[in-house]
Every structure is written in structure tokens, then in C-alpha cells.
């Protein structure tokens, strides 16, 4: 099944009945009708809100959220959806409640198709609007605390690299990425032409040369966790009542085992323009560290977090390059490039290349 709307209505209803029964949210009755509401095309997926009708008024959820692949995207990007299905089957199932939407079904088919079906939180939660304007600091802190709680739970967890996720140097991905890094830089430079200054091209070349030394931090496998990988603040659903500090983190198609500050650098240094970042960056990292400690993390000082953050900011110069090379529009990566390069200079990250 590559898309719920492609099958006959009765078959769709029958399948939904079975899914909801397995998930324990439909004890009596059956789904009799499925209606498509608010379909949307996202960067790498197609999302739809489905309205369900039951043969009894006391059935299961009135709506579910359905997400599936888009066939017109870069094949490399399509693989991210399969990762999200794996996330809900493996990681979400072991994560404490209150951080993620409930998943009713996640399927990664052999042919490459995938889909996930999640609880619909529209009645209680909402995404942030006004992209790319930053939210209020209070709303940002709620997202930051949620990531800290998630990171803390999986911090140096005994299952990392064993039954949950893989370490990139075990899977061979690290070596493949390192081997391809120079080619990716060259492709990016060709794409930008005169728009990429000689100074910035030199920074990329210096990072290529320093990579064998800098990846020692990753190879240490200490103070590691599961990261979101696309942890901007719009990948979170906030409770509609601002007084309720309840956030659900969504869109887990880029998750992996890594250093937690990779999420922070992406969230802050990639997405915040310089003035806003300079005003709120350090206090946000201090708050995050306090939340980590409250979540049970020990032996990881703020100084260690700060150094990891600087290194993560440096690595994030690869983000706009990867996005440009894999079909993401310049309305996304062009601003990312300017913001992350500004952070690299402000934080003295170039010192790490010497």
C-alpha cells in the first residue's frame, strides 16, 4: 500500500479498522468511511489528514495523520522516509511518553515505498507559524527542553549501535561520506560559481583536510545520543494553550546516533540570523545543559558542551551544501549558508581547523 487514497474506500476502511484494533484505540465498531482532508505536498513526503467514520458513535479516533513518500524527489532524499518508519517502530516504541505523537502503524516496504500513520493532534496542538521568523523565546525554550529530555533519555544508552541505530563507522557510512565529501564540495562550488567567495571555498577545503582529525570526537562514542537531524523549531507541535508546556517532536526522517550538539547547531546556528543568535545563543545552551542534567546526564560539563557545539557548528557548513546538491530549493539553503558561515566566524570555529 503506497497511499491510502489509492485503494477502494471499503478496503481502506477495513485496513484502518485492523490497524486501529492492533494499536488498541478501537475496541468496538468498524471504520465505514474514510475522507481525505487537507492533503499537502512537503519537501520529501505527502501528508494527509484522514477523517474516519464508524458504524458506531463510540468508535476510535475521528482523524488520523497519514504520511507517505513522494516519487518525484531525489532517490537519496526518499530514503529519509524509510528511516522515519524505522524510527517509529524502534525508537519511539522505547521513548518515554509525552515527547512524540503516538504511532498507529509504520511500514517500510521492500519495494522502497513507506508510510506512517500517527495520531492526529490538531485538536490540542498546533505548529508554529510565520516561518522563518523565530518564535518567542518562551516557546523556543519549550522545544529546547523537549529535545533535552529526549537526548537525556538516550544518552550513552546501552542499546545505541546494538539494537537502536548504528554508529556510522560501523556501518561504513562514515567512510563513504568522507570519500564523497570532496566531490560534494566541488559540485556545490560549481553550482554557486561566483556566488561562493574564495574565502568560503577555502573554509570547505580546510574542513576536508582536517576531517580525519576532527572525526575523532565521533569515534570516541562518548556522550552520544539519538539526534533528530532536522531539529528546527517548526518540527514541533505546541499545545494550543500557551500555559501548557507540552510539545511533540515530529518529522524524524533524519534521525541518527551522534553528538547532541549537532541538533543544537542546526536549530540555532543554521536557522537564526546573527543578531537574534548573538542575543540568545549562550543562554539557550546554558538552559539546555541544565535540562540535560535534570534528565540524569552526568559527567558532561557545560564547557564540554560548548566545545562540542563549536565543532558541530563547523560541521553544519555541510548542510546547505548537501541541500543544494540534492534538490532542495535555494529558498532554503541560501539563507542557511549565510547564517552558518556567520556563526562559524563569531564562535571562532576556524581555530578548530588549525
Amino acid at each position: 500500500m503506497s497511499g491510502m487514497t489509492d485503494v477502494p474506500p471499503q478496503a481502506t476502511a477495513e485496513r484502518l479498522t485492523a490497524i486501529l484494533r492492533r494499536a488498541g484505540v478501537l475496541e468496538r465498531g468498524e471504520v465505514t468511511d474514510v475522507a481525505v482532508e487537507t492533503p499537502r505536498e512537503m519537501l520529501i513526503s505527502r501528508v494527509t489528514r484522514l477523517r474516519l467514520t464508524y458504524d458506531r458513535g463510540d468508535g476510535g479516533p475521528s482523524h488520523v495523520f497519514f504520511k507517505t513518500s513522494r516519487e518525484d524527489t531525489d532517490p537519496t532524499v526518499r530514503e529519509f522516509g524509510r528511516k522515519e518508519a524505522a524510527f517509529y517502530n524502534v525508537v519511539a516504541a522505547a521513548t518515554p511518553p509525552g515527547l512524540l505523537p503516538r504511532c498507529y502503524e509504520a511500514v517500510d516496504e521492500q519495494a522502497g515505498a513507506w508510510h506512517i500513520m500517527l495520531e492526529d493532534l490538531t485538536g490540542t496542538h498546533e505548529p508554529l507559524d510565520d516561518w522563518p521568523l523565530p518564535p518567542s523565546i518562551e516557546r523556543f525554550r519549550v522545544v529546547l527542553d523537549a529535545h533535552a529530555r529526549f537526548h537525556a533519555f538516550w544518552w550513552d544508552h546501552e542499546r545505541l549501535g546494538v539494537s537502536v541505530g548504528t554508529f556510522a563507522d560501523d556501518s561504513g557510512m562514515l567512510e563513504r561520506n568522507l570519500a564523497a565529501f570532496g566531490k560534494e564540495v566541488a559540485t556545490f562550488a560549481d553550482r554557486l560559481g561566483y556566488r561562493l567567495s574564495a574565502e568560503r571555498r577555502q573554509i570547505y577545503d580546510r574542513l576536508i583536510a582536517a576531517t580525519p582529525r576532527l572525526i575523532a570526537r565521533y569515534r570516541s562514542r562518548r556522550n552520544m545520543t539519538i539526534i533528530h537531524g532536522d531539529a528546527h523549531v517548526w518540527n514541533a507541535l505546541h499545545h494550543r494553550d500557551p500555559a501548557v508546556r507540552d510539545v511533540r517532536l515530529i518529522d524524524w526522517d533524519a534521525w541518527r546516533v551522534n553528538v547532541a550538539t549537532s541538533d543544537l547547531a542546526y536549530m540555532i546556528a543554521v536557522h537564526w540570523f546573527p543578531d537574534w543568535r548573538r542575543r540568545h545563543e549562550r543562554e539557550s545552551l546554558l538552559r539546555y545543559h541544565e535540562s540535560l542534567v535534570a534528565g540524569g546526564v552526568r559527567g558532561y560539563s557545560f564547557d564540554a558542551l560548548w566545545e562540542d557545539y563549536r565543532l558541530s557548528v563547523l560541521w553544519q557548513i555541510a548542510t546547505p551544501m548537501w541541500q543544494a546538491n540534492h534538490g532542495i530549493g535555494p529558498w532554503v539553503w541560501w539563507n542557511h549558508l549565510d547564517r552558518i558561515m556567520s556563526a562559524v566566524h563569531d564562535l571562532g570555529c576556524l581555530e578548530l581547523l588549525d
Side-chain angles (χ1 to χ4, degrees):
M1 183 180 75
S2 63
M4 296 289 290
T5 59
D6 296 334
V7 298
Q10 184 57 41
T12 302
E14 291 174 354
R15 177 146 192 172
L16 276 167
T17 296
I19 292 170
L20 296 177
R21 286 208 197 288
R22 287 197 302 269
V25 294
L26 179 61
E27 295 183 2
R28 300 186 298 275
E30 296 182 351
V31 179
T32 57
D33 187 57
V34 181
V36 175
E37 293 184 355
T38 58
R40 288 184 297 158
E41 298 286 323
M42 311 301 286
L43 285 176
I44 65 172
S45 63
R46 182 174 294 111
V47 298
T48 307
R49 189 179 185 225
L50 302 178
R51 185 178 73 249
L52 312 183
T53 302
Y54 301 87
D55 62 352
R56 300 181 186 179
D58 57 352
S62 65
H63 293 78
V64 296
F65 181 84
F66 188 78
K67 184 175 182 179
T68 190
S69 57
R70 278 180 52 179
E71 289 70 29
D72 58 343
T73 56
D74 185 294
T76 303
V77 175
R78 282 205 302 272
E79 286 298 306
F80 281 70
R82 304 182 67 185
K83 288 185 63 178
E84 186 166 20
F87 173 86
Y88 279 105
N89 282 324
V90 178
V91 182
T95 298
L99 289 169
L100 309 169
R102 181 172 180 177
C103 181
Y104 300 136
E105 182 180 65
V107 175
D108 172 15
E109 300 176 359
Q110 290 185 351
W114 59 271
H115 70 263
I116 57 175
M117 187 181 300
L118 305 173
E119 67 174 322
D120 177 66
L121 295 167
T122 305
T124 55
H125 291 70
E126 61 185 354
L128 293 171
D129 53 12
D130 293 333
W131 179 89
L133 295 178
S136 69
I137 287 300
E138 185 53 38
R139 280 209 148 184
F140 169 73
R141 287 171 177 167
V142 178
V143 176
L144 189 69
D145 290 345
H147 280 285
R149 295 199 309 275
F150 181 88
H151 289 161
F153 176 79
W154 288 104
W155 199 269
D156 285 343
H157 199 287
E158 61 184 10
R159 294 183 62 188
L160 294 184
V162 180
S163 59
V164 175
T166 57
F167 287 100
D169 46 350
D170 279 347
S171 67
M173 182 176 294
L174 184 62
E175 286 69 25
R176 290 193 297 272
N177 288 344
L178 294 179
F181 194 19
K183 182 180 179 181
E184 291 277 359
V185 169
T187 299
F188 185 56
D190 288 344
R191 181 184 302 273
L192 265 66
Y194 69 89
R195 298 179 182 91
L196 184 67
S197 68
E199 177 191 12
R200 288 183 173 178
R201 174 59 191 263
Q202 185 183 50
I203 292 173
Y204 280 104
D205 290 339
R206 291 175 64 191
L207 180 57
I208 293 171
T211 289
R213 172 174 54 83
L214 295 179
I215 60 172
R217 170 65 184 95
Y218 182 91
R219 291 188 188 278
S220 74
R221 299 192 180 184
R222 297 183 55 203
N223 295 314
M224 305 279 277
T225 187
I226 293 175
I227 67 167
H228 185 285
D230 191 19
H232 55 72
V233 295
W234 296 274
N235 272 339
L237 298 176
H238 293 253
H239 201 280
R240 292 182 179 276
D241 181 353
V244 179
R245 297 177 57 83
D246 178 29
V247 162
R248 305 303 168 90
L249 304 175
I250 60 172
D251 286 354
W252 286 89
D253 50 30
W255 74 280
R256 57 193 182 274
V257 179
N258 210 315
V259 180
T261 51
S262 180
D263 272 347
L264 300 180
Y266 183 79
M267 185 188 306
I268 296 172
V270 171
H271 283 87
W272 286 2
F273 284 96
D275 177 68
W276 190 259
R277 177 178 50 77
R278 291 163 188 154
R279 287 162 57 190
H280 299 291
E281 183 173 49
R282 189 172 181 86
E283 68 168 285
S284 296
L285 296 178
L286 285 165
R287 181 185 181 92
Y288 171 85
H289 185 259
E290 291 173 358
S291 294
L292 273 189
V293 173
V297 173
R298 299 291 182 268
Y300 186 63
S301 67
F302 178 75
D303 287 343
L305 182 144
W306 180 255
E307 290 310 306
D308 278 347
Y309 179 73
R310 291 176 67 228
L311 180 56
S312 293
V313 168
L314 180 61
W315 283 120
Q316 284 293 339
I317 68 172
T319 292
M321 174 187 73
W322 188 93
Q323 291 171 332
N325 289 352
H326 292 274
I328 306 299
W331 55 275
V332 173
W333 58 261
W334 178 249
N335 285 334
H336 286 353
L337 177 63
D338 237 28
R339 289 187 292 246
I340 193 60
M341 284 296 184
S342 175
V344 163
H345 288 288
D346 285 352
L347 300 174
C349 299
L350 297 183
E351 299 169 359
L352 303 174
L353 296 174
D354 296 331

